[in-house]
Amino acid sequence: MFRNQIMKLPISLRTLVFTTKQHIILSFIALSLCQFSFSQNWNLVWQDEFTNGISADWVFEIGNGNSGWGNNELQYYKRENATVENGNLVITAKRESVGGFNYTSTRMKTQGRKSWKYGKVEARIAMPSFMGSWPAFWMLGDNISSVGWPSCGEIDIMEHVNIEAQTHGTIHWQDHTNNYANYSGATPVNSATSYHVYTIEWDASVIKWFVDGNLYHEASIANGVNGTSEFHNNFFILINMAIGGNWPGFNIDNNAFPARMLVDYVRVYQKTNAPTGPVRLFQHCDYDGYSASLSVGSYTLGQLQALGVSDNDISSVQVKEGYQIRLYEHPDFTGTTLIKTSDDDCLVNDGFNDKVSAVVVSEVTSSWSTLIEAENTVTQSGTQTESCSEGGLNVGWIDTNDWLVWDVNIPDNGSYLIEYRVATPNTGGVLQLEKAGGVPAYGTLGIPNTGGWQNWTTVQHTVNLDAGAQQIAIKALTGGWNINWLKISNVNRTITSNMKNASVKEGTLIVYPVPTSDILILKGLEAQTTFGVYNLEGELVLETEISNKNPVLEVSHLKSGIYIIKDLITGRTTRFIRE
């Protein structure tokens, strides 16, 4: 989109399976409600669904730039030409005189707000097709302000000119001879005025272009070949519709105005690297930045540095089942320590971000021949009882006098570790651990104030439990708070019970998973009913009908935060967190 020279090279098409958002939702429905799970190669890290307006992550360019943004374009860009209608971003090009130019349109970008290094970047777009039109969905390097173009690099995900029945994907850069270079591919598109999904998949080796899931172009950037080192930096996103310019020319169909470019959504995904050893350390939260795979053993600071890990520079960890890692604050295995037996996408919540100087990786072993078993999970509130096998419903909102019950078999009298991950608003709480029925009580456990519903922290308590098969209950003496998971371990820290995902309050809805980033499943619907979703200010942000045959609510378009979902027919309510 930012060029003085265009070179287009066709490439043969390869057909792949195209999966729409609707197909994904249907696949969720097919899963068992008590065993809900979903895994994918790409993790959604940012999106704008344009449901409630245009995200604050966008910045709008104003004017005509330097010589028509370097392309002799004929339009004047205005913020007012971007609107939202029916969940779509609408960029309207108009024939009107502003600032000495005869056309207006919009150019918007995430520069200074959001940028990414590698990932899957896509948008669902329908665009006009007329002489002089030049809509684009593209990316520029974060460092453009300091190094300029083309040294910053450019990735054109989609460009369409005039009335062509095809789309173009291109990279632009300054090559190893310090000269401008580009490499491009094109593919036929059946009716560009209809919606299509335009995508790139970009990693350290290659950039690939897709239309509706069909791969049509690839560019190697491995090891910065041909000077492509630009494409190993962060890039931000741009969307615009130009009128005229060096590529489409200057013969404009003035009868085509006003012309509208519709964008259903823009989404960015990134891959989570699975550890090859039992444990992998990551430089940044969300498993980003450099990483190092660790086998069982002790690692001094010097040994970590030999693996490429800097002192006080680790922010997330991945841990395979059956292993644990103990993190140490100081290089001589002293100071504050933290044990992790499962993945943690950000150590900020544990107060251990950028504090790792030594680690010990070990297998989880037990000193007992019999482990504590969580055979069945039961939740009770008043006289209402719901049950689900382990791994089913999400633990979630717990209020005063709510309680959780599960079957366990304690192998021996003695000391056990109770761990749970909790988030609270601006106050703490107290829970009581007891045998089901309340006799005898094992004692009370304090719930800390985490300072917000999305500020998760892991809490540990050591308690003495009685031997034998029994039901153990956790009762909320004060609330409310949100529990993500709850575990029982023996004194050797072996995780022997993982009572995940179970919580019900009388009079509330049952929804899971909580927190969620994309969909909620509703349990216990008897017929079709109408639901409203409200933010904490009481504003209605979503209203929809849901039936027991399709108990799925998509919330991926909502902003991160706490929401209240209400059955507008029965009045039942509950809360959920959109991550």
Coordinates of all heavy atoms in Angstrom, one line a residue, residues 458-515:
T458 N -2.7 -17.5 43.5 CA -2.7 -18.9 44.0 C -2.4 -18.8 45.5 O -1.5 -18.2 45.9 CB -1.7 -19.8 43.3 OG1 -2.0 -19.8 41.9 CG2 -1.7 -21.2 43.9
V459 N -3.3 -19.4 46.3 CA -3.3 -19.4 47.7 C -3.0 -20.8 48.2 O -3.5 -21.8 47.7 CB -4.6 -18.9 48.3 CG1 -4.5 -18.8 49.9 CG2 -4.9 -17.5 47.8
Q460 N -2.1 -21.0 49.2 CA -1.8 -22.3 49.8 C -2.0 -22.3 51.3 O -1.8 -21.3 52.0 CB -0.3 -22.6 49.6 CG 0.0 -22.7 48.1 CD 1.5 -23.0 47.9 OE1 2.3 -22.8 48.8 NE2 1.9 -23.4 46.7
H461 N -2.6 -23.4 51.8 CA -2.8 -23.5 53.3 C -2.4 -25.0 53.6 O -2.7 -25.9 52.8 CB -4.3 -23.4 53.7 CG -4.8 -22.0 53.4 ND1 -4.6 -20.9 54.2 CD2 -5.6 -21.6 52.3 CE1 -5.2 -19.9 53.6 NE2 -5.8 -20.2 52.5
T462 N -1.8 -25.2 54.8 CA -1.5 -26.5 55.3 C -2.5 -26.8 56.3 O -2.7 -26.1 57.3 CB 0.0 -26.5 55.8 OG1 0.9 -26.2 54.8 CG2 0.3 -27.9 56.3
V463 N -3.1 -28.0 56.2 CA -4.1 -28.4 57.2 C -3.9 -29.9 57.5 O -3.3 -30.6 56.8 CB -5.6 -28.2 56.6 CG1 -5.8 -26.8 56.3 CG2 -5.7 -29.0 55.3
N464 N -4.4 -30.3 58.7 CA -4.4 -31.7 59.1 C -5.7 -32.3 58.8 O -6.8 -31.9 59.2 CB -4.1 -31.8 60.6 CG -2.7 -31.4 61.0 OD1 -1.7 -31.7 60.3 ND2 -2.5 -30.6 62.0
L465 N -5.7 -33.4 58.0 CA -6.9 -34.1 57.6 C -6.9 -35.5 58.2 O -5.9 -36.1 58.5 CB -6.9 -34.2 56.0 CG -6.9 -32.9 55.2 CD1 -7.0 -33.2 53.7 CD2 -8.1 -32.0 55.7
D466 N -8.1 -36.0 58.4 CA -8.3 -37.4 58.9 C -8.3 -38.4 57.8 O -8.7 -38.1 56.6 CB -9.7 -37.5 59.6 CG -9.8 -36.5 60.8 OD1 -8.7 -36.2 61.4 OD2 -10.9 -36.1 61.1
A467 N -7.8 -39.6 58.1 CA -7.7 -40.7 57.1 C -9.1 -41.2 56.8 O -10.0 -41.1 57.6 CB -6.8 -41.8 57.6
G468 N -9.2 -41.8 55.6 CA -10.4 -42.6 55.3 C -11.2 -41.9 54.2 O -11.0 -40.8 53.8
A469 N -12.1 -42.7 53.6 CA -13.0 -42.2 52.5 C -14.0 -41.3 53.2 O -14.6 -41.6 54.2 CB -13.7 -43.4 51.8
Q470 N -14.2 -40.2 52.5 CA -15.1 -39.2 53.1 C -15.5 -38.1 52.1 O -14.9 -38.1 51.0 CB -14.5 -38.5 54.3 CG -13.1 -37.8 54.0 CD -12.4 -37.4 55.2 OE1 -12.7 -36.4 55.9 NE2 -11.3 -38.2 55.6
Q471 N -16.4 -37.3 52.4 CA -16.7 -36.1 51.6 C -16.1 -34.9 52.4 O -16.4 -34.7 53.5 CB -18.2 -36.0 51.4 CG -18.8 -36.9 50.4 CD -20.3 -36.6 50.1 OE1 -21.0 -36.2 51.0 NE2 -20.6 -36.7 48.9
I472 N -15.4 -34.1 51.6 CA -14.9 -32.9 52.2 C -15.6 -31.7 51.6 O -15.9 -31.7 50.4 CB -13.3 -32.7 51.9 CG1 -12.6 -33.7 52.8 CG2 -12.9 -31.3 52.2 CD1 -11.1 -33.6 52.8
A473 N -16.0 -30.8 52.4 CA -16.7 -29.6 52.0 C -16.0 -28.3 52.2 O -15.3 -28.2 53.2 CB -18.1 -29.5 52.7
I474 N -16.1 -27.4 51.3 CA -15.6 -26.1 51.5 C -16.8 -25.1 51.5 O -17.5 -25.1 50.5 CB -14.6 -25.6 50.4 CG1 -13.2 -26.3 50.7 CG2 -14.4 -24.1 50.3 CD1 -12.1 -25.8 49.7
K475 N -16.9 -24.4 52.6 CA -18.1 -23.6 52.7 C -17.6 -22.1 52.8 O -16.7 -21.8 53.5 CB -18.9 -23.9 54.0 CG -20.1 -23.1 54.3 CD -20.8 -23.6 55.5 CE -22.1 -22.8 55.7 NZ -22.8 -23.2 57.0
A476 N -18.3 -21.2 52.1 CA -17.9 -19.8 52.1 C -18.6 -19.2 53.3 O -19.8 -19.1 53.4 CB -18.4 -19.1 50.8
L477 N -17.8 -18.8 54.3 CA -18.3 -18.1 55.5 C -18.5 -16.6 55.1 O -19.5 -16.0 55.7 CB -17.3 -18.2 56.6 CG -17.0 -19.6 57.1 CD1 -16.1 -19.5 58.3 CD2 -18.3 -20.4 57.4
T478 N -17.7 -16.0 54.3 CA -17.9 -14.7 53.7 C -17.6 -14.7 52.3 O -16.8 -15.5 51.8 CB -17.1 -13.6 54.5 OG1 -15.7 -13.9 54.3 CG2 -17.4 -13.6 55.9
G479 N -18.2 -13.9 51.5 CA -17.9 -13.8 50.0 C -18.2 -12.4 49.5 O -18.5 -11.5 50.3
G480 N -18.3 -12.3 48.2 CA -18.1 -13.3 47.3 C -16.7 -13.2 46.6 O -16.1 -12.2 46.6
W481 N -16.4 -14.3 45.9 CA -15.1 -14.4 45.3 C -15.2 -15.4 44.1 O -16.2 -16.1 44.0 CB -14.0 -14.7 46.2 CG -14.4 -15.4 47.5 CD1 -14.7 -14.7 48.6 CD2 -14.5 -16.8 47.8 NE1 -15.0 -15.6 49.6 CE2 -14.9 -16.9 49.2 CE3 -14.2 -17.9 47.1 CZ2 -15.1 -18.1 49.8 CZ3 -14.4 -19.1 47.7 CH2 -14.8 -19.2 49.1
N482 N -14.2 -15.5 43.4 CA -14.2 -16.4 42.2 C -13.1 -17.4 42.3 O -11.9 -17.0 42.5 CB -14.0 -15.6 40.9 CG -14.9 -16.0 39.8 OD1 -16.1 -16.1 40.0 ND2 -14.4 -16.3 38.7
I483 N -13.4 -18.7 42.2 CA -12.3 -19.7 42.3 C -12.2 -20.3 40.9 O -13.2 -20.7 40.3 CB -12.7 -20.8 43.3 CG1 -12.5 -20.3 44.7 CG2 -11.8 -22.0 43.1 CD1 -12.7 -21.3 45.8
N484 N -10.9 -20.4 40.4 CA -10.6 -21.0 39.1 C -10.3 -22.5 39.2 O -10.7 -23.3 38.4 CB -9.4 -20.3 38.5 CG -9.1 -20.7 37.1 OD1 -8.0 -21.2 36.9 ND2 -10.1 -20.6 36.2
W485 N -9.6 -22.9 40.2 CA -9.4 -24.3 40.5 C -9.0 -24.5 42.0 O -8.7 -23.6 42.7 CB -8.3 -24.9 39.6 CG -6.9 -24.2 39.6 CD1 -6.5 -23.4 38.6 CD2 -5.9 -24.3 40.6 NE1 -5.2 -23.0 38.9 CE2 -4.8 -23.5 40.1 CE3 -5.8 -24.9 41.8 CZ2 -3.7 -23.3 40.8 CZ3 -4.6 -24.7 42.5 CH2 -3.6 -23.9 42.0
L486 N -9.1 -25.8 42.4 CA -8.9 -26.1 43.8 C -8.2 -27.5 43.9 O -8.6 -28.4 43.1 CB -10.2 -26.2 44.6 CG -10.0 -26.5 46.1 CD1 -10.2 -25.3 46.9 CD2 -10.9 -27.6 46.5
K487 N -7.1 -27.6 44.6 CA -6.3 -28.9 44.7 C -6.0 -29.3 46.1 O -5.9 -28.5 47.0 CB -5.0 -28.7 43.9 CG -5.2 -28.2 42.5 CD -3.8 -27.9 41.8 CE -3.9 -27.4 40.4 NZ -2.7 -27.1 39.8
I488 N -5.9 -30.6 46.3 CA -5.3 -31.2 47.5 C -4.0 -31.9 47.2 O -4.0 -32.7 46.2 CB -6.3 -32.2 48.2 CG1 -7.6 -31.4 48.7 CG2 -5.6 -32.9 49.3 CD1 -8.5 -32.3 49.4
S489 N -3.0 -31.7 48.0 CA -1.7 -32.4 47.8 C -1.3 -32.9 49.1 O -1.7 -32.5 50.2 CB -0.7 -31.4 47.4 OG -1.1 -30.6 46.3
N490 N -0.3 -33.9 49.1 CA 0.3 -34.3 50.3 C 1.5 -33.4 50.7 O 1.8 -32.5 50.0 CB 0.7 -35.8 50.2 CG 1.8 -36.1 49.2 OD1 2.6 -35.2 48.9 ND2 1.8 -37.2 48.6
V491 N 2.1 -33.8 51.8 CA 3.2 -32.9 52.3 C 4.4 -32.8 51.3 O 5.1 -31.9 51.3 CB 3.7 -33.4 53.6 CG1 2.6 -33.1 54.7 CG2 4.1 -34.8 53.6
N492 N 4.5 -33.8 50.4 CA 5.6 -33.8 49.4 C 5.2 -32.9 48.2 O 5.8 -33.0 47.2 CB 6.0 -35.2 49.0 CG 6.7 -35.9 50.1 OD1 7.3 -35.3 50.9 ND2 6.6 -37.2 50.0
R493 N 4.0 -32.3 48.3 CA 3.5 -31.4 47.3 C 3.1 -32.1 46.0 O 3.0 -31.6 45.0 CB 4.6 -30.3 46.9 CG 5.1 -29.5 48.0 CD 5.9 -28.4 47.6 NE 5.2 -27.4 46.8 CZ 4.5 -26.4 47.4 NH1 4.5 -26.3 48.7 NH2 3.8 -25.6 46.7
T494 N 2.8 -33.4 46.1 CA 2.3 -34.2 45.0 C 0.8 -33.8 44.8 O 0.0 -33.9 45.7 CB 2.4 -35.7 45.3 OG1 3.7 -36.0 45.5 CG2 1.8 -36.5 44.1
I495 N 0.5 -33.3 43.6 CA -0.9 -33.0 43.3 C -1.7 -34.3 43.2 O -1.5 -35.0 42.2 CB -1.0 -32.1 42.1 CG1 -0.2 -30.9 42.3 CG2 -2.5 -31.8 41.8 CD1 -0.7 -30.0 43.4
T496 N -2.6 -34.6 44.1 CA -3.3 -35.8 44.1 C -4.8 -35.7 43.9 O -5.5 -36.7 43.7 CB -3.0 -36.6 45.4 OG1 -3.4 -35.7 46.5 CG2 -1.6 -37.0 45.6
S497 N -5.3 -34.5 43.9 CA -6.7 -34.2 43.6 C -6.8 -32.9 42.9 O -6.2 -31.9 43.4 CB -7.5 -34.2 44.9 OG -8.8 -33.8 44.6
N498 N -7.5 -32.8 41.9 CA -7.6 -31.6 41.1 C -9.1 -31.4 40.9 O -9.6 -31.7 39.9 CB -6.8 -31.7 39.8 CG -6.7 -30.3 39.2 OD1 -7.4 -29.4 39.6 ND2 -5.9 -30.2 38.2
M499 N -9.8 -30.8 41.9 CA -11.2 -30.6 41.8 C -11.5 -29.3 41.0 O -11.6 -28.3 41.5 CB -11.8 -30.5 43.2 CG -13.3 -30.6 43.3 SD -14.2 -29.2 42.8 CE -13.7 -28.0 44.0
K500 N -11.5 -29.5 39.7 CA -11.6 -28.3 38.8 C -13.1 -28.1 38.5 O -13.9 -29.0 38.4 CB -10.9 -28.5 37.5 CG -9.3 -28.4 37.6 CD -8.7 -28.5 36.3 CE -7.2 -28.3 36.4 NZ -6.6 -28.4 35.1
N501 N -13.4 -26.8 38.3 CA -14.6 -26.4 37.5 C -15.9 -26.9 38.1 O -16.6 -27.6 37.5 CB -14.5 -26.9 36.1 CG -13.2 -26.5 35.4 OD1 -12.7 -25.5 35.8 ND2 -12.8 -27.2 34.4
A502 N -16.3 -26.4 39.3 CA -17.6 -26.7 39.8 C -18.1 -25.7 40.8 O -17.5 -25.4 41.8 CB -17.6 -28.1 40.5
S503 N -19.2 -25.1 40.4 CA -19.8 -24.1 41.3 C -21.2 -23.8 40.9 O -21.4 -23.5 39.7 CB -19.0 -22.8 41.3 OG -19.8 -21.7 41.8
V504 N -22.2 -23.8 41.8 CA -23.5 -23.5 41.5 C -24.1 -22.7 42.7 O -23.9 -23.1 43.8 CB -24.4 -24.8 41.3 CG1 -25.8 -24.4 41.0 CG2 -23.8 -25.6 40.1
K505 N -24.9 -21.7 42.4 CA -25.6 -21.0 43.4 C -27.1 -21.1 43.1 O -27.5 -21.0 42.0 CB -25.3 -19.5 43.4 CG -24.0 -19.1 44.1 CD -24.0 -17.7 44.6 CE -24.3 -16.8 43.5 NZ -24.4 -15.4 44.0
E506 N -27.9 -21.3 44.2 CA -29.3 -21.4 44.0 C -29.8 -20.1 43.4 O -29.5 -19.0 43.8 CB -30.0 -21.6 45.3 CG -31.5 -21.9 45.2 CD -32.1 -22.2 46.5 OE1 -31.4 -22.1 47.5 OE2 -33.3 -22.5 46.5
G507 N -30.7 -20.2 42.3 CA -31.3 -19.0 41.7 C -30.4 -18.4 40.7 O -30.8 -17.4 40.1
T508 N -29.2 -19.0 40.4 CA -28.4 -18.4 39.4 C -28.3 -19.3 38.2 O -28.7 -20.4 38.2 CB -26.9 -18.2 39.9 OG1 -26.4 -19.5 40.2 CG2 -26.9 -17.3 41.1
L509 N -27.8 -18.7 37.1 CA -27.5 -19.5 35.9 C -26.2 -20.3 36.1 O -25.4 -20.0 36.9 CB -27.3 -18.6 34.7 CG -28.5 -17.8 34.3 CD1 -28.1 -16.8 33.2 CD2 -29.7 -18.6 33.7
I510 N -26.1 -21.4 35.3 CA -24.8 -22.1 35.3 C -24.2 -21.9 33.9 O -24.7 -22.3 32.9 CB -25.1 -23.6 35.5 CG1 -25.9 -23.8 36.8 CG2 -23.8 -24.4 35.6 CD1 -26.4 -25.3 37.0
V511 N -23.0 -21.3 33.9 CA -22.3 -21.0 32.7 C -20.9 -21.4 32.9 O -20.3 -21.3 33.9 CB -22.4 -19.5 32.3 CG1 -23.9 -19.1 32.0 CG2 -21.8 -18.6 33.3
Y512 N -20.2 -21.8 31.8 CA -18.8 -22.1 31.8 C -18.3 -22.2 30.4 O -19.1 -22.2 29.4 CB -18.6 -23.5 32.5 CG -19.2 -24.7 31.8 CD1 -18.4 -25.5 30.9 CD2 -20.5 -25.0 32.0 CE1 -19.0 -26.6 30.3 CE2 -21.1 -26.1 31.3 CZ -20.3 -26.9 30.5 OH -20.9 -28.0 29.8
P513 N -17.0 -22.1 30.2 CA -15.9 -21.9 31.2 C -15.8 -20.4 31.7 O -16.2 -19.5 30.9 CB -14.6 -22.3 30.4 CG -14.9 -21.9 29.0 CD -16.4 -22.2 28.8
V514 N -15.4 -20.3 32.9 CA -15.2 -19.0 33.5 C -13.8 -18.9 34.1 O -13.5 -19.8 34.9 CB -16.2 -18.6 34.5 CG1 -15.9 -17.2 35.1 CG2 -17.6 -18.7 34.0
P515 N -12.9 -18.0 33.7 CA -13.0 -17.0 32.7 C -13.1 -17.6 31.3 O -12.7 -18.8 31.0 CB -11.7 -16.2 32.8 CG -11.1 -16.6 34.1 CD -11.5 -18.0 34.3

